[in-house]
């Protein structure tokens, strides 16, 4: 590796000759870019950050001080295979975020979409799949093979176990953890405990009142009427399946391989149809 200096790359940064940076990429002091790294226009790499290839990053991404993206996965079976990380556009990785590359046991690549925010000290494990507009708050831990749907939120100090899927506009509340899938539009708190709909997120996303009320009904059928899951899903499909958000909710649950969590029993009054 060699020291590189230009108007946008600090003299103390170390850039591998194999790396390709757009002309306007800004690289701060003591940053390290090693291996086959491709960085698109408008990106900012702050001081002491480390990017390791194979890594592809789109345009207008921000990598904060001390963040490490693309290092080898924390996997006992990893044998230095040339796996990688693929990142879209307009993502923010704040201070000391870590993102690990994929494994041959998985999809060989960790993938991140567009407009995501990873706050300080959060971690994204190998082979993860992240959609668009997700928020991963300080100290949140995302294990390998996890899938994060668009616009989901993992609050501070949360943990998501390997192979869990988090649905679109779902939220895992602070200090919570999940070892099972979190369906779209739901709020989960504590350990493996659904507590209702993510109403704030739904309204902020512009979901219609009709769809929200339909989701309320679906929630009640699934979690409050004591039916087996298969029977509840059949009832929801028959009564509400024409609503797009309900259809998405049903499809996610039907595709689950590890199951979903039960609901807390004390929140019933908050989820009746209005």
């Amino acid at each position: 590796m060699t020291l590189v200096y230009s108007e946008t790359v600090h003299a103390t940064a170390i850039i591998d000759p194999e790396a390709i940076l757009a002309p306007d990429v800004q690289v701060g002091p003591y940053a390290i870019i090693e291996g086959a790294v491709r960085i698109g226009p408008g990106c900012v790499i702050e001081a002491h950050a480390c990017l390791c290839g194979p890594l592809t990053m789109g345009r207008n991404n921000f990598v904060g001080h001390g963040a490490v993206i693309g290092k080898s996965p924390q996997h006992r079976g990893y044998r230095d295979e040339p796996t990688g990380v693929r990142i879209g556009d307009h993502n923010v990785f704040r201070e000391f975020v870590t993102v690990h590359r994929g494994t041959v046991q998985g999809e060989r690549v960790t993938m991140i979409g567009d407009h995501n925010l990873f706050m300080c000290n959060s971690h994204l494990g190998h082979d993860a799949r992240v959609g668009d507009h997700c928020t991963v708050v300080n100290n949140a831990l995302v294990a390998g093979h996890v899938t994060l749907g668009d616009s989901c939120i993992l609050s501070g100090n949360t943990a998501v176990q390997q192979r869990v899927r988090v649905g679109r506009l779902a939220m895992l509340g602070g200090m919570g953890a999940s070892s099972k899938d979190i369906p779209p539009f739901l709020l989960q708190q504590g350990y493996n405990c659904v507590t209702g709909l993510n109403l704030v997120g739904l309204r902020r996303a512009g979901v219609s009142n009709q769809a929200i009320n339909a989701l309320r009904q679906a929630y009640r059928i699934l979690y409050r009427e004591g039916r087996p899951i298969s029977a509840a899903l059949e009832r929801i499909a028959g009564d509400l399946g024409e609503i797009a958000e309900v259809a998405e909710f049903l499809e996610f649950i039907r595709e689950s391989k590890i199951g979903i969590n039960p609901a807390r029993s004390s929140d019933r009054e908050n989820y009746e149809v209005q």
Side-chain angles (χ1 to χ4, degrees), residues 150-191:
D150 293 349
S151 301
C152 73
I153 298 176
L154 305 182
S155 301
N157 296 294
T158 54
V160 180
Q161 185 172 292
Q162 275 198 344
R163 303 186 189 279
V164 164
R165 297 179 305 144
V166 181
R168 183 170 73 93
L169 284 170
M171 179 175 179
L172 179 59
M175 307 294 288
S178 189
S179 64
K180 294 186 178 182
D181 290 345
I182 305 176
F185 317 122
L186 293 190
L187 173 63
Q188 189 167 300
Q189 295 178 297
Y191 178 70

Side-chain angles (χ1 to χ4, degrees), residues 97-108:
V97 167
T98 53
V99 177
H100 287 168
R101 61 177 176 255
T103 65
V104 294
Q105 293 82 4
E107 301 296 327
R108 302 188 70 96

Side-chain angles (χ1 to χ4, degrees), residues 1-25:
M1 289 185 286
T2 57
L3 291 171
V4 176
Y5 175 75
S6 72
E7 292 183 356
T8 58
V9 177
H10 195 274
T12 59
I14 300 176
I15 313 293
D16 195 303
E18 194 176 357
I20 299 176
L21 281 62
D24 64 344
V25 171

Side-chain angles (χ1 to χ4, degrees), residues 51-246:
L51 276 59
C52 182
L55 165 64
T56 301
M57 180 179 291
R59 56 177 60 238
N60 298 320
N61 294 287
F62 174 89
V63 180
H65 183 104
V68 178
I69 300 177
K71 283 293 188 178
S72 60
Q74 297 174 129
H75 190 288
R76 291 183 182 273
Y78 182 71
R79 298 293 181 268
D80 203 31
E81 296 92 351
T83 57
V85 176
R86 192 177 307 152
I87 297 170
D89 305 330
H90 301 284
N91 296 288
V92 174
F93 303 88
R94 291 299 301 268
E95 296 87 340
F96 304 105
V97 167
T98 53
V99 177
H100 287 168
R101 61 177 176 255
T103 65
V104 294
Q105 293 82 4
E107 301 296 327
R108 302 188 70 96
V109 63
T110 300
M111 297 185 64
I112 299 171
D114 304 330
H115 296 279
N116 297 293
L117 171 59
F118 295 84
M119 297 188 190
C120 299
N121 298 300
S122 57
H123 170 73
L124 185 68
H126 58 84
D127 301 290
R129 295 287 185 272
V130 180
D132 302 331
H133 298 280
C134 298
T135 302
V136 181
V137 182
N138 301 60
N139 303 310
L141 306 176
V142 181
H145 309 280
V146 166
T147 299
L148 302 183
D150 293 349
S151 301
C152 73
I153 298 176
L154 305 182
S155 301
N157 296 294
T158 54
V160 180
Q161 185 172 292
Q162 275 198 344
R163 303 186 189 279
V164 164
R165 297 179 305 144
V166 181
R168 183 170 73 93
L169 284 170
M171 179 175 179
L172 179 59
M175 307 294 288
S178 189
S179 64
K180 294 186 178 182
D181 290 345
I182 305 176
F185 317 122
L186 293 190
L187 173 63
Q188 189 167 300
Q189 295 178 297
Y191 178 70
N192 282 357
C193 183
V194 173
T195 57
L197 295 179
N198 178 18
L199 291 173
V200 173
L202 287 164
R203 287 167 178 155
R204 286 178 176 172
V207 177
S208 69
N209 289 333
Q210 178 192 23
I212 291 173
N213 282 331
L215 288 168
R216 280 193 170 105
Q217 294 179 64
Y219 181 92
R220 187 185 66 233
I221 293 168
L222 180 61
Y223 288 107
R224 301 302 184 201
E225 294 186 354
R227 302 169 187 265
I229 288 181
S230 58
L233 297 181
E234 184 176 350
R235 167 73 185 279
I236 294 168
D239 291 356
L240 305 161
E242 75 282 359
I243 305 296
E245 288 80 2
V246 175

